[in-house]
């Protein structure tokens, strides 16, 4: 619904004792418009202006004066206000801000201004209908809103954004405003807010603190003094009002401007003489201004007026007059008469809206709250039901009606379930999953028909997955137990339940569920898809006791596949990654990766996930094709951004793209990408796995740049490595922690961490030192105290990845056409044309670097050769590690002359 352009109340009483606030408004507009008090032009300055205080102290009036003054100066004004009963409508405030600006524009102009963000922002702001296949994450929508408002400030500046009653703003709009407000200064935009501090939700506390930090822009309003109240009384009732009467008015109202004005208006309407003897009548009038007295005064206006006031309170601020009349069950004539009566009584009025129709507004939120609370509970519930039906019938959509359904009693109505599910889908498509959860939870309580119950449980579990995966497990298990669940839905529930179990660290249960469901299905396609999911979760299970056996099973299973469908291609992609992890021949990894990618894999397929496309891209990187790997990640980033997925998915993509730059030796670029991924992870949720990936990659990048102190600060601030994760993370957190300890000179602790990391990775059969060079780092740590063990680890690490695969099979290219032996078999000694051998000088540089790192830990009396001789030139096993025929051959390259390679190459 569109809120009226005008605001409640029509008094012309001047503002008293608000001089500092009025001066702040004038100075804020001067700074915004680039003018100084002496008329000189200055640079445009923005900021956040805030007014806070209990209800009735004049916050709305101050914002109204700001709005009028800004328009007089030619500013573009975006204004909105929160609603007490509209807080559960997603983006309710944002729609008020954006729609008046864009509603009058042709579609082509709207698309030009909003640009590529149109499909993401338009459904959230009500400029277009939600697309059923869209599912932007909340961060993506917030980024899009950033773009829209920023673009407006550039095209139509200066811009003043006004938000009244922030304490009642919906959570989605408030999350955007809180994050965006800090940018007001740099954008040259003025944001003005008003709130009741005692009623602020936790989401708005940060916004209030942002305003409070600048004392010149934060204003806590105080009640009026007795002198100011006396002036209002004399302006309304006559200059002959005696002092005792005026002081009694001040005592009764507590200096609240709204109550003072209402009291004097009632006195003038009654012809009350402003004398001491009228004080008893004054107290009677005061009781009718608020609370029970207000309700008694409303009831005296007749049943039609009461029903209209009740309906307006149920519908909320700015309700269309026609719908309010429907809910009140009043015909046109009775509706007009009731509005006139309530207008004269200063309870509510009818105003023109931006859409051209008329809407109903209460004179003050205090009145609306008192009226709503006075409605008998049963009547109020029934009126919400009528309101929901009327809104749907009038074309306002399921989302507008859903907030009323939340207030209704469950009655097993299929229509209610249908509308709530539709509202949930629209909320998902608009990037408001929290609202979708509320609607689906209520739909489940209705309850739905037994045929629909499993579907509702599935939708609710899917909505809860990012926020409450443990609760998701219960809901999806309940869905599987429903007697009326169909085979297709059962399959989808199984995939989502396995995902929820994996997200809660219950990998064994996830794979066990998939195995059980695969056995009971009669569809070969379903069984293959479930096998793919099972292999995927096995691949990330850090505590899998039979990881080696599952790797052999994956190899045997992949041997039979051709990549004819997406499930097969995902299995091939997982096998390619498994080859890399175990250090098997690079040709074998490339063969599987190529066949996995040949038919295409989407990064935004919600059923299959993005993990396998990312693993296939990283496989190419480790196989000396970093350019192709980067292309795939750029494609993934483009898909994520087009879909509006700008949270954890985008964080992963930027982090792993930075990891590729790290492996290529482009360390400054790597740090930029990884810090970008970490910033995204931080603003989404501190508990997501993407943050662990970003922190680990950032630490190894900083160490490679010789900034151990910075790396330590990052590790301390994120408590990195204090717990071993239950899922596979790369770079391995424990190994990274060991490397950091080594760089800090804490040798014994480094040896302990690296040894523990090695034992854990060996148990999984992870041998590739390019993936986790823990053994090479351990060799460096032991070089000073146990050089023999150090040499053993340095020789063994690359050798572990040089073994032939147990069942290396011919490459796909070899099967298609004959070619020389070096290129026809995925042997452990493939062609040397895949990558160039590093120059000899690079080995010498690595050896001397290692020697310098070892030297401080060796006793001064020790012969130099005992510490560095083994590192003066690489051993044959080390040279084999970088031979361009194995999956370890992807090595970091310096970004220029004298560039320092990452630690994995240094060792």
């Amino acid at each position: 619904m569109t809120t009226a352009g005008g605001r409640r109340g029509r008094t012309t009483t001047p503002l008293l004792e608000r001089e500092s606030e009025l001066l702040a408004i004038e100075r804020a507009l001067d700074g915004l418009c680039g003018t100084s008090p002496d008329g000189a032009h200055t640079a445009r300055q923005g900021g956040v202006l805030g007014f806070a205080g209990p209800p009735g102290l004049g916050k709305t009036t101050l914002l109204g004066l700001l709005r009028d003054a800004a328009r007089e100066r030619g500013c573009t004004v975006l204004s909105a206000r929160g609603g007490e009963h509209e807080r559960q409508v997603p983006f309710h405030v944002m729609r008020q801000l954006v729609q008046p600006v864009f509603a009058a524009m042709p579609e082509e102009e709207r698309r030009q201004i909003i640009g590529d963000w149109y499909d993401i922002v338009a459904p959230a702001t009500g400029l277009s209908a939600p697309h059923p296949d869209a599912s932007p994450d909340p961060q993506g929508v917030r980024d899009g809103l950033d773009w829209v408002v920023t673009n407006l400030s550039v095209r139509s500046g200066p811009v003043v954004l006004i938000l009244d009653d922030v304490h009642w703003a919906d959570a989605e709009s408030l999350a955007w405003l809180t994050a965006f407000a800090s940018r007001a200064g740099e954008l040259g935009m003025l944001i003005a807010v008003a709130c009741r501090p005692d009623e602020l939700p936790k989401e708005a506390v940060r916004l209030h603190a942002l305003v409070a930090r600048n004392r010149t822009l934060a204003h806590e309003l105080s009640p009026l003094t007795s002198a100011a109240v006396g002036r209002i009384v004399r302006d309304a009732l006559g200059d002959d009002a005696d002092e005792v009467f005026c002081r009694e008015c001040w005592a009764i109202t507590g200096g609240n401007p709204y109550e003072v004005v209402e009291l004097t208006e009632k006195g003038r309407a009654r012809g009350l003489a402003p004398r001491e003897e009228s004080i008893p009548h004054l107290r009677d009038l005061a009781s009718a201004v608020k609370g029970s007295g207000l309700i008694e005064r409303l009831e005296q206006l007749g049943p039609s007026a009461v029903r209209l006031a009740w309906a307006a309170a149920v519908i909320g601020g700015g309700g269309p007059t026609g719908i309010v009349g429907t809910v009140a069950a009043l015909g046109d004539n009775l509706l007009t008469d009731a509005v006139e009566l309530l207008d004269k009584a200063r309870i509510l009025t009818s105003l023109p809206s931006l859409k051209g129709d008329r809407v109903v507004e209460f004179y003050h939120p205090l009145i609306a709250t008192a009226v709503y609370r006075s409605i008998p509970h049963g009547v109020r519930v029934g009126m919400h039901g009528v309101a929901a039906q009327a809104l749907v019938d009038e074309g306002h959509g399921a989302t507008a009606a859903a907030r009323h359904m939340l207030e209704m009693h469950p009655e097993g109505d299929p229509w209610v379930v249908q509308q709530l599910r539709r509202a949930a889908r629209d909320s998902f498509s608009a990037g408001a999953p929290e609202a979708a959860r509320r609607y689906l939870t209520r739909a489940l309580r209705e309850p739905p028909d037994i045929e629909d119950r499993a579907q509702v449980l599935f939708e609710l579990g899917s909505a809860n997955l990012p926020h409450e995966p443990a609760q998701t497990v219960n809901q999806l298990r309940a869905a599987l137990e429903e007697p009326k669940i169909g085979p297709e839905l059962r399959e989808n529930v199984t995939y989502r339940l396995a995902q929820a179990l994996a997200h809660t660290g219950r990998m064994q249960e996830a794979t066990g569920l998939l195995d059980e469901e695969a056995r009971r299905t009669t569809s070969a396609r379903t069984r293959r898809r479930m096998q793919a999911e099972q292999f995927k979760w096995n691949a990330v299970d850090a505590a899998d006791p039979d990881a080696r056996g599952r790797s052999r099973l994956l190899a045997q299973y992949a041997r039979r596949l051709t990549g004819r469908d997406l499930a097969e291609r995902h299995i091939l992609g997982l096998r390619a990654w498994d080859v890399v992890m175990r250090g098997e021949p690079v040709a074998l990894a490339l063969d599987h990766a190529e066949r996995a990618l040949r038919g295409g894999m989407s990064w935004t397929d919600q059923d299959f996930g993005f993990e396998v496309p990312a693993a296939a891209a990283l496989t190419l990187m480790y196989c000396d094709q970093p350019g192709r790997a980067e292309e795939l990640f750029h494609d993934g980033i483009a898909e994520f951004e087009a879909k509006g997925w700008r949270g954890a998915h985008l964080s992963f993509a930027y982090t792993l793209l930075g990891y590729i730059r790290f492996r290529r030796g482009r360390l400054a670029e790597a740090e930029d990408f990884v810090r970008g991924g970490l910033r995204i992870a931080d603003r989404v949720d501190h508990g997501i796995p993407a943050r662990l990936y970003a922190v680990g990659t950032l630490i190894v990048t900083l160490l490679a740049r010789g900034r151990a102190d910075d790396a330590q600060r990052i590790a301390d601030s994120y408590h990195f490595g204090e717990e071993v994760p239950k899922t596979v993370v790369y770079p391995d957190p424990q190994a990274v922690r060991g490397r950091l300890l080594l760089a800090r000179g804490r040798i014994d602790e480094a040896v302990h961490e690296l040894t523990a990391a090695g034992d854990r990775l060996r148990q999984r059969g992870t041998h590739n030192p390019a993936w986790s060079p823990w053994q090479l780092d351990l060799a460096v740590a032991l070089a000073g105290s146990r050089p023999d063990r150090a040499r053993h680890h340095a020789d063994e690490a690359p050798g572990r990845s040089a073994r032939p695969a147990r069942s290396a099979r011919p490459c796909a290219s070899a099967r298609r056409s004959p070619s020389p032996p070096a290129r026809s078999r995925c042997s452990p000694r493939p062609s040397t044309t895949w990558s160039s051998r590093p120059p000899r000088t690079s080995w010498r540089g690595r050896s001397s670097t290692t020697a310098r790192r070892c030297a401080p830990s060796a006793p001064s009396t020790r012969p130099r050769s005992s510490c560095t001789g083994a590192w003066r030139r690489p051993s044959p096993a080390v040279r084999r590690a970088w031979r361009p025929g194995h999956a370890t051959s992807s090595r970091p390259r310096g970004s220029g002359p004298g560039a320092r390679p990452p630690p994995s190459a240094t060792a």
Side-chain angles (χ1 to χ4, degrees):
M1 284 175 283
T2 304
T3 304
R7 270 304 301 227
R8 23 185 205 228
R10 296 173 296 175
T11 180
T12 58
T13 303
L15 280 178
L16 301 176
E17 299 183 344
R18 297 291 182 258
E19 290 79 9
S20 63
E21 289 80 5
L22 294 173
L23 181 60
I25 289 174
E26 184 178 355
R27 288 178 175 173
L29 289 176
D30 286 342
L32 181 67
C33 298
T35 58
S36 61
D38 58 3
H41 290 283
T42 60
R44 184 184 298 176
Q45 297 178 351
V48 183
L49 180 64
F51 302 108
L57 292 189
K59 302 182 295 295
T60 297
T61 303
L62 287 168
L63 292 182
L65 292 173
L66 170 61
R67 182 189 301 108
D68 296 340
R71 285 174 176 160
E72 288 176 2
R73 296 192 186 208
C75 300
T76 298
V77 178
L78 311 177
S79 63
R81 63 186 175 98
E84 184 177 12
H85 304 295
E86 289 83 7
R87 283 179 286 187
Q88 300 188 64
V89 179
F91 299 109
H92 174 71
V93 165
M94 281 308 308
R95 295 187 178 202
Q96 296 178 61
L97 290 172
V98 173
Q99 282 185 356
V101 179
F102 290 101
M105 294 182 184
E107 175 78 7
E108 183 178 351
E109 185 178 359
R110 284 204 298 266
R111 286 187 173 272
Q112 182 180 3
I113 294 177
I114 301 177
D116 293 338
W117 290 100
Y118 188 87
D119 292 336
I120 297 172
V121 171
T125 54
L127 297 175
S128 71
H131 194 280
D133 295 331
S135 58
D137 60 34
Q139 188 59 57
V141 176
R142 289 195 289 269
D143 288 347
L145 292 172
D146 280 358
W147 163 257
V148 170
V149 177
T150 301
N151 203 13
L152 276 177
S153 70
V154 173
R155 296 171 61 101
S156 308
V159 171
V160 179
L161 190 152
I162 299 174
L163 178 55
D164 198 2
D165 294 336
V166 170
H167 49 280
W168 286 338
D170 61 275
E172 290 78 12
S173 299
L174 197 53
W176 170 79
L177 181 65
T178 300
F180 184 79
S182 60
R183 300 181 53 206
E186 66 184 69
L187 292 174
M189 174 188 298
L190 178 62
I191 298 178
V193 298
C195 68
R196 303 177 190 174
D198 295 341
E199 299 182 31
L200 277 175
K202 62 180 181 180
E203 295 88 355
V205 172
R206 196 173 127 215
L207 176 64
H208 186 58
L210 175 68
V211 180
R213 279 200 296 269
N214 191 336
R215 294 187 177 181
T216 62
L217 298 179
H219 299 273
E220 294 280 348
L221 303 187
S222 302
L224 300 177
T225 63
S226 59
V229 171
R231 180 176 171 183
I232 296 175
V233 172
R234 292 185 176 94
D235 287 344
L237 301 180
D239 293 335
D240 58 342
D242 61 34
E243 187 64 23
V244 176
F245 183 89
C246 293
R247 288 188 66 83
E248 186 64 21
C249 289
W250 173 75
I252 290 173
T253 60
N256 186 293
Y258 163 72
E259 295 184 22
V260 173
V261 171
E262 289 298 311
L263 181 60
T264 55
E265 288 295 323
K266 299 293 185 298
R268 182 166 57 182
R270 294 281 186 91
L272 188 68
R275 299 284 186 273
E276 182 177 357
E277 56 270 18
S278 300
I279 287 178
H281 301 290
L282 181 67
R283 291 171 179 162
D284 292 338
L285 289 177
S287 65
V289 172
K290 60 182 181 178
S292 59
L294 171 65
I295 302 306
E296 291 177 5
R297 182 160 59 91
L298 172 62
E299 292 172 349
Q300 292 173 3
L301 300 178
S304 295
V306 171
R307 281 155 51 193
L308 178 60
W310 286 359
V314 166
I315 293 294
T321 304
I323 292 181
V324 173
T326 300
V327 176
L330 296 176
D332 292 341
N333 293 334
L334 288 176
L335 178 63
T336 302
D337 294 342
V339 169
E340 185 177 349
L341 281 173
L342 292 168
D343 195 5
K344 289 180 180 179
R346 297 177 60 82
I347 293 176
L348 62 75
T349 188
S350 177
L351 300 169
S353 76
L354 295 171
K355 292 183 178 179
D357 57 355
R358 298 193 70 82
V359 296
V360 173
E361 275 278 9
F362 283 97
Y363 269 74
H364 197 278
L366 288 172
I367 300 175
T369 299
V371 171
Y372 186 82
R373 293 175 179 175
S374 71
I375 307 173
H377 178 72
V379 176
R380 186 167 66 237
V381 170
M383 296 183 85
H384 277 295
V386 176
Q389 183 71 62
L391 288 166
V392 172
D393 291 345
E394 292 293 327
H396 290 273
T399 303
R403 82 161 184 90
H404 295 283
M405 297 178 189
L406 296 177
E407 306 295 335
M408 296 163 54
H409 290 316
E411 295 180 349
D413 189 343
W415 181 83
V416 172
V417 174
Q418 178 190 22
Q419 296 301 320
L420 287 168
R421 290 177 61 193
R422 186 172 298 169
R425 286 195 297 271
D426 291 347
S427 297
F428 266 126
S429 300
E434 285 288 343
R437 292 171 62 198
R438 290 195 298 270
Y439 300 148
L440 290 170
T441 300
R442 175 61 183 81
L444 196 61
R445 289 175 48 221
E446 184 62 16
D449 292 338
I450 191 170
E451 292 82 3
D452 298 328
R453 181 174 169 79
Q455 182 66 44
V456 175
L457 283 166
F458 171 64
E459 293 170 2
L460 178 58
S462 300
N464 277 328
L465 180 58
H467 309 279
E468 298 178 1
Q471 187 173 344
T472 295
V473 169
N474 297 331
Q475 290 158 346
L476 295 180
R477 285 199 186 280
L480 283 180
E481 294 171 0
E482 286 295 317
K484 295 290 185 177
I485 185 172
E488 183 178 355
L489 179 57
R490 185 178 191 89
E491 179 182 348
N492 292 331
V493 171
T494 299
Y495 301 144
R496 199 58 51 86
L497 177 55
Q499 185 180 10
L501 289 167
H503 285 188
T504 53
R506 297 150 70 177
M507 296 293 181
Q508 299 298 317
E509 290 185 53
T511 54
L513 169 72
L514 290 164
D515 183 62
E516 178 185 349
E517 292 295 324
R519 294 175 187 276
R520 66 181 296 164
T521 184
T522 58
S523 167
R525 181 198 62 82
T526 300
R527 190 178 301 110
R528 186 167 55 251
R529 167 70 195 283
M530 289 189 176
Q531 187 67 67
E533 291 292 302
Q534 192 172 354
F535 282 136
K536 180 173 73 174
W537 297 125
N538 282 333
V540 298
D541 183 6
D544 186 358
D546 189 26
R548 296 170 184 267
R550 298 188 193 282
S551 175
R552 290 192 294 269
L553 178 63
L554 174 60
Q556 295 170 4
Y557 198 92
R559 188 178 299 118
R560 305 193 302 266
L561 304 181
T562 61
R564 59 183 173 179
D565 60 20
L566 195 54
E568 287 196 2
R569 293 196 293 274
H570 271 244
I571 294 175
L572 290 170
L574 289 167
R575 172 58 181 149
W577 180 243
D578 187 64
V579 170
V580 171
M581 295 282 283
R582 300 181 186 284
E584 298 177 25
V586 68
L588 189 61
L590 277 175
D591 175 43
H592 286 86
E594 293 287 1
R595 288 192 290 146
L597 295 169
R598 192 170 298 142
M601 284 191 290
S602 171
W603 292 70
T604 56
D605 189 318
Q606 291 181 310
D607 292 329
F608 280 87
F610 75 99
E611 293 86 354
V612 177
L618 289 175
T619 298
L620 296 178
M621 178 201 70
Y622 281 111
C623 294
D624 268 350
Q625 297 192 24
R628 285 190 62 199
E630 288 198 10
E631 289 178 8
L632 290 173
F633 272 104
H634 283 301
D635 291 343
I637 289 173
E639 278 194 55
F640 291 149
E641 291 182 338
K643 194 87 170 179
W645 293 6
R646 298 180 63 86
H649 296 83
L650 196 62
S651 173
F652 267 117
Y654 274 115
T655 296
L656 295 178
L657 185 57
Y659 187 63
I660 296 174
R661 296 291 170 94
F662 164 78
R663 295 290 307 174
R664 302 183 79 176
R666 296 158 67 173
L667 302 181
E669 298 172 19
E671 182 179 346
D672 288 341
F673 275 115
V674 177
R675 285 192 183 276
L678 182 57
R679 280 193 296 270
I680 295 172
D682 283 341
R683 68 180 183 172
V684 174
D685 185 358
H686 290 177
I688 61 175
R691 194 170 78 159
L692 195 57
Y693 278 74
V695 172
T697 306
L698 180 57
I699 289 173
V700 296
T701 304
L702 292 172
L703 289 176
R705 302 194 73 184
R707 293 158 56 188
D709 291 341
D710 292 342
Q712 186 66 59
R713 280 192 288 271
I714 291 292
D716 291 342
S717 61
Y718 288 95
H719 305 285
F720 180 78
E722 294 180 1
E723 295 182 3
V724 177
K726 296 180 180 179
T727 58
V728 174
V729 176
Y730 41 93
D732 184 76
Q734 195 171 20
V736 172
R737 181 175 172 82
R739 181 182 298 182
L740 177 58
L741 292 168
L742 178 61
R744 302 288 291 174
R746 297 158 64 178
I747 305 300
D748 292 341
E749 296 174 75
V751 170
H752 174 76
E753 288 289 336
L754 291 168
T755 302
D759 291 343
R760 182 169 44 80
L761 293 175
R762 276 173 171 161
Q763 184 179 358
R764 283 190 54 83
T766 303
H767 302 303
N768 195 336
W771 183 84
S772 179
W774 65 269
Q775 203 165 11
L776 300 177
D777 289 334
L778 182 57
V780 174
L782 293 172
S785 58
R786 302 178 65 184
D788 293 339
R789 292 298 301 166
R791 185 181 298 108
H792 168 75
H793 284 296
D795 287 344
E796 183 188 49
R800 296 175 68 86
S801 67
R803 293 192 305 271
R806 287 180 179 268
S807 56
R809 59 193 291 267
C811 298
S813 58
R815 293 195 304 270
R816 289 192 296 271
S817 60
S819 55
R823 301 176 63 91
S824 64
R825 293 181 65 250
C826 297
S827 66
R829 194 176 180 84
S831 169
T832 58
T833 60
W834 284 31
S835 64
S836 60
R837 187 182 300 275
R840 286 289 181 183
T841 54
S842 66
W843 287 116
R844 193 172 298 114
R846 291 178 184 132
S847 301
S848 60
T849 300
T850 304
R852 287 194 299 272
R853 291 172 64 186
C854 297
S857 62
S860 58
T861 59
R862 188 173 188 172
R864 181 176 177 84
S865 61
S866 66
C867 178
T868 61
W871 301 94
R872 199 158 286 157
R873 72 186 292 274
S875 66
V878 173
R879 288 199 300 274
R880 283 198 305 273
W882 299 114
R883 188 176 60 221
H886 293 86
T888 58
S889 63
S890 179
R891 58 200 172 281
R893 299 180 178 87
S895 57
R900 179 178 177 180
S904 57
T906 303

